Amino acid sequence: MRKSIRRKAYSGLVFNIIFVSLLASMLASTLKLITEHYQNEMIHRASNYFGLVLVFPLVGFTLIFLLRKLVFHNKPNKGITEIYNTLENRKNELPFYKVLSHYANGFLTVIFGGSTGVEVSTVVATAAIGTNAYKKTGLAYKYKTEIVVAAVAAGVATLFGSPFAGLFFAVEAIARKVSNTVVISAVLAVIVASATTYLVGAEPLFVLHPKPWSLTALPYLVGLSIVAGLLSVYFTKVCLLIKRRFSMIKNNTYRIVLGAAIVGTAILFLPQLYGDSYHVVSGFLENTANITFSNSLGLLLLALIILKPLVASVTLGAGGDGGVFAPGMVIGALLGLLFAISCNHYLGTHLIVVNFMVIGMAAVLSGCIHAPLTAIALFTTLSGSTLLLIPIIMACLIAKYTAKSVYQYSVYSYKP
């Protein structure tokens, strides 16, 4: 009798994991595609009319505010902390409107120039799918984490085209524990997501072509990783500070106008800061063989590295939806690029630029979210080979522990 009950419970769990994984994968796929399409459309329109980008963030933040006020019960989106709250508290659930809220707000934020990405919007929206499926099916409370983990794993795997990134992020950053059922749930979810993305024909986030690694570059890898860890702390502290300062502004109109003015001015003078900035990284990756150091390029890269976290944080503080995923990877790529070309120019080294861009992305992401396994899995998968596996592992671990030694919190773990 007991075996029969257990078998029925496991069958129900497997069915629900497959169901929520399909829904989560479809959500992530559609959000990624429409955001990329309309962001490119908006950038093209802005290029034809000087100064138009000054207006875009104001339109985006205003639409988000109106949706939140008129449609989504006037409740703010709090990012991944919402998931932690629902997993830690039995009665705390992510209501269904959170699916639509994060989907719509993430889309509007990015296409109107908000300097972040849709990754965290996807994570919370898919988690909301998981909690609502859990409520409807009457599964035992102990399986709540498994359903949420499955939904998030499928969403992240679809978003990045990396099943291992989805698996490790869901276990490492969401569940924050390892058990047989959690791991099996995540594995099953990414299998479903992989099948879905294969049928849809989704493109990977970046096309990376790393070159063989040389041991002579090891000291420079260590140096880049330490800088990446410190940059991660800078991003975390800036994000927490600016969000706290904006939360003190009680006048909604003033908060929106101030945030829109800052973001609009930034993207007017540095259009590379527009939206998720993935197009900037892709452009550099396609041309690494021809990139050499110049004062103008060095100053541009340094400005983007410093300002991207600031503008992303203002975006979030003003009411935009998003997180540190996209900005972290972008500044990591630009840091790796600047580091490699500067060393080649001033020290006479022969560092491979594309390798350092990949390692920089992995290291800063690891330092920002304190999830090295996720960063290792993501960029090893995107690289399409294991050429950089050992350097990526080293960089991610060095960056994470450098960041934690300076400041113990990430944006996800900080509790005021």
Side-chain angles (χ1 to χ4, degrees):
M1 182 68 175
R2 186 174 297 174
K3 288 184 178 179
S4 175
I5 294 173
R6 188 180 296 131
R7 190 161 48 245
K8 184 177 180 181
Y10 284 150
S11 298
L13 177 62
V14 169
F15 174 81
N16 280 283
I17 287 171
I18 294 172
F19 178 67
V20 300
S21 299
L22 281 169
L23 292 180
S25 186
M26 290 168 61
L27 180 146
S29 181
T30 57
L31 182 56
K32 175 185 176 182
L33 290 173
I34 66 169
T35 301
E36 181 179 359
H37 173 77
Y38 283 102
Q39 179 183 225
N40 291 336
E41 283 288 314
M42 298 296 276
I43 291 173
H44 177 71
R45 287 171 186 262
S47 66
N48 295 326
Y49 301 95
F50 179 78
L52 187 59
V53 291
L54 281 170
V55 181
F56 281 176
L58 180 61
V59 174
F61 294 154
T62 302
L63 288 173
I64 290 169
F65 172 75
L66 291 175
L67 279 174
R68 188 171 292 156
K69 184 177 180 63
L70 302 176
V71 180
F72 300 127
H73 309 289
N74 206 26
K75 293 183 179 179
N77 290 333
K78 297 180 181 179
I80 286 180
T81 56
E82 294 178 279
I83 305 176
Y84 296 152
N85 289 338
T86 195
L87 293 180
E88 292 167 2
N89 300 296
R90 188 183 189 98
K91 294 182 178 179
N92 193 320
E93 305 290 352
L94 284 168
F96 182 75
Y97 77 81
K98 288 289 184 180
V99 178
L100 305 176
S101 171
H102 281 280
Y103 190 101
N105 292 349
F107 169 71
L108 291 172
T109 298
V110 175
I111 71 165
F112 283 106
S115 200
T116 184
V118 297
E119 292 78 17
V120 171
S121 303
T122 302
V123 168
V124 184
T126 53
I129 288 176
T131 58
N132 281 274
Y134 156 78
K135 284 191 295 184
K136 295 293 183 183
T137 54
L139 284 170
Y141 173 72
K142 67 178 182 178
Y143 294 135
K144 182 179 183 180
T145 298
E146 280 77 0
I147 295 294
V148 172
V149 161
V152 171
V156 172
T158 301
L159 205 59
F160 293 116
S162 171
F164 288 108
L167 168 65
F168 284 114
F169 179 80
V171 174
E172 186 178 29
I174 301 301
R176 296 183 292 182
K177 66 179 183 180
V178 178
S179 69
N180 289 338
T181 52
V182 165
V183 173
I184 291 170
S185 299
V187 169
L188 182 55
V190 299
I191 291 172
V192 172
S194 298
T196 304
T197 52
Y198 175 78
L199 293 173
V200 172
E203 296 290 328
L205 184 62
F206 297 115
V207 178
L208 305 176
H209 299 291
K211 305 293 174 57
W213 179 258
S214 171
L215 279 176
T216 58
L218 183 59
Y220 303 99
L221 175 141
V222 173
L224 173 63
S225 303
I226 292 171
V227 175
L230 297 175
L231 183 60
S232 303
V233 173
Y234 162 71
F235 191 176
T236 299
K237 289 196 168 186
V238 162
C239 187
L240 294 173
L241 174 64
I242 291 180
K243 287 176 71 176
R244 184 165 60 249
R245 291 294 175 87
F246 268 84
S247 69
M248 296 167 64
I249 302 173
K250 302 305 178 184
N251 187 304
N252 291 318
T253 301
Y254 179 62
R255 184 176 65 252
I256 290 170
V257 171
L258 176 63
I262 295 171
V263 175
T265 302
I267 61 178
L268 175 66
F269 290 101
L270 285 171
Q272 296 90 343
L273 296 172
Y274 195 108
D276 55 32
S277 299
Y278 286 153
H279 55 287
V280 177
V281 175
S282 296
F284 281 123
L285 284 169
E286 291 170 3
N287 199 38
T288 51
N290 302 316
I291 298 176
T292 55
F293 182 86
S294 67
N295 290 334
S296 58
L297 177 59
L299 288 173
L300 172 64
L301 293 173
L302 186 61
L304 294 175
I305 290 167
I306 293 171
L307 292 177
K308 182 71 178 178
L310 286 166
V311 181
S313 301
V314 172
T315 297
L316 301 177
D321 208 59
V324 301
F325 248 101
M329 288 190 291
V330 169
I331 64 173
L334 301 180
L335 174 67
L337 172 60
L338 178 60
F339 188 93
I341 62 174
S342 297
C343 289
N344 290 345
H345 180 74
Y346 288 109
L347 303 179
T349 56
H350 299 282
L351 303 179
I352 300 171
V353 175
V354 65
N355 287 0
F356 274 76
M357 287 184 71
V358 174
I359 291 166
M361 281 192 278
V364 173
L365 180 61
S366 174
C368 282
I369 66 176
H370 292 183
L373 294 178
T374 300
I376 292 165
L378 173 58
F379 288 99
T380 302
T381 305
L382 291 178
S383 297
S385 71
T386 57
L387 284 174
L388 295 183
L389 177 59
I390 301 302
I392 287 174
I393 291 173
M394 293 177 61
C396 288
L397 293 175
I398 293 170
K400 178 198 170 178
Y401 289 108
T402 298
K404 286 203 75 171
S405 68
V406 176
Y407 190 65
Q408 62 178 313
Y409 300 107
S410 71
V411 174
Y412 298 161
S413 63
Y414 179 79
K415 292 183 179 180

